[in-house]
Amino acid sequence: MAHLRPLGALTAVHAEDAELLAASQDVWDRLDPRSYAAYLASRPDEAELRAVEDVVGAARRTGGRAHVLHLSSATALGTLREAELQRRDAAPGGAEVAGVEVLQLRR
């Protein structure tokens, strides 16, 4: 972000914490891997929240801007909204929800 800031460019991020995702991979052994429930269990809300918090932190430290792609959990919305309110003079970027994420946005 620090390198993109002088250009006014946005850092686009698909925010998921790799460590938390790796820890949840046993779900494929416990549940039917073809099921939607298994997919949801393999992507815990906390993995997205932690990654979004990291992205917001990096934007604050560098003064850069970030855009979170394919937000799938409502859990991270509060973090993004707070970041937006704190940086009214320089919008941090934003987030988008597209396609199937609209149907699966979870609280």
Side-chain angles (χ1 to χ4, degrees), residues 3 17 24-25 27 39 52 60 69 71 78 83 87 102 105:
H3 296 291
D17 183 273
S24 66
Q25 292 309 298
V27 69
Y39 172 76
V52 166
R60 286 182 178 142
L69 303 168
L71 191 69
R87 293 189 59 181
V102 171
L105 194 62

Side-chain angles (χ1 to χ4, degrees), residues 32-86:
D32 179 351
R34 298 167 295 175
S35 73
Y36 188 59
Y39 172 76
L40 291 178
S42 75
R43 312 216 97 57
D45 290 348
E46 183 64 27
E48 185 172 73
L49 175 61
R50 185 181 293 178
V52 166
E53 288 170 343
D54 289 346
V55 169
V56 168
R60 286 182 178 142
R61 284 189 307 280
T62 64
R65 297 170 50 223
H67 185 83
V68 178
L69 303 168
H70 315 307
L71 191 69
S72 63
S73 169
T75 306
L77 290 174
T79 300
L80 291 169
R81 181 70 176 143
E82 179 184 327
E84 178 185 12
L85 291 173
Q86 290 178 0

Side-chain angles (χ1 to χ4, degrees), residues 8-27:
L10 218 59
T11 300
V13 179
H14 183 96
E16 292 181 309
D17 183 273
E19 185 178 304
L20 285 175
L21 289 183
S24 66
Q25 292 309 298
D26 69 318
V27 69

